[in-house]
Amino acid sequence: MAHRATKSGIALEAQQKMDSKWDDDRATIAIRWIGERIGEPLSTDGSKENVWALLKDGMVLAKLANWVKPGSIGASKMGKAPSLAFKQMELIGMFLKTIDEAEGGPVKKSELFQTVDLYEKVNMVMVITCIEALGRAMLTQGREGFGKAESKGQTHEWTDEQLKAGQNIIGLQMGSNKGATQAGQNFGKTRAIVD
């Protein structure tokens, strides 16, 4: 892990706010789900330290990526857990690329974490949020996910008659001028016009 200066001031407050959102139960459910998908018994201790230790080297996430999209990470990368930092971060990055919606994956860009969030334990809450988003997306696709399936939306078909009826209605957000006149309006002293 990189050596960073101790946070202070607003940076410390922001980190404490992020850390306060950590939930051991959510993390336990996410790690248990990952273990079941990759076929390995993972420690289900939901502490931030345990989750970081399990996921930091990228191997667990790489195996999960291959479950999501078989063959997305080559066998040459999956031999043994890497010990070099850049190799570990590369595996984390490959996982993120596999599940990224822009790359054909199931998770929206806004729900992905950054490699540094996990590797340097900057924002572990976002890591769990991303795994939960992946679980929901898999459930939506009819695969073994967890959580609640995402909404697929609902389409409406409107007739021409219904569309024209809506044109005659003035919405309340446009305001109202009922009863508005300037009769009796008097602000301050009247202006005297003298020639």
Side-chain angles (χ1 to χ4, degrees), residues 156-167:
H156 293 282
E157 296 295 325
W158 304 101
T159 65
D160 287 337
E161 184 179 305
Q162 289 172 318
L163 292 172
K164 287 179 183 175
Q167 292 174 349

Side-chain angles (χ1 to χ4, degrees), residues 42-60:
L42 299 177
S43 169
T44 55
D45 172 20
S47 70
K48 192 183 309 180
E49 290 296 322
N50 182 57
V51 172
W52 178 72
L54 283 171
L55 303 178
K56 177 187 170 265
D57 67 3
M59 283 302 289
V60 170

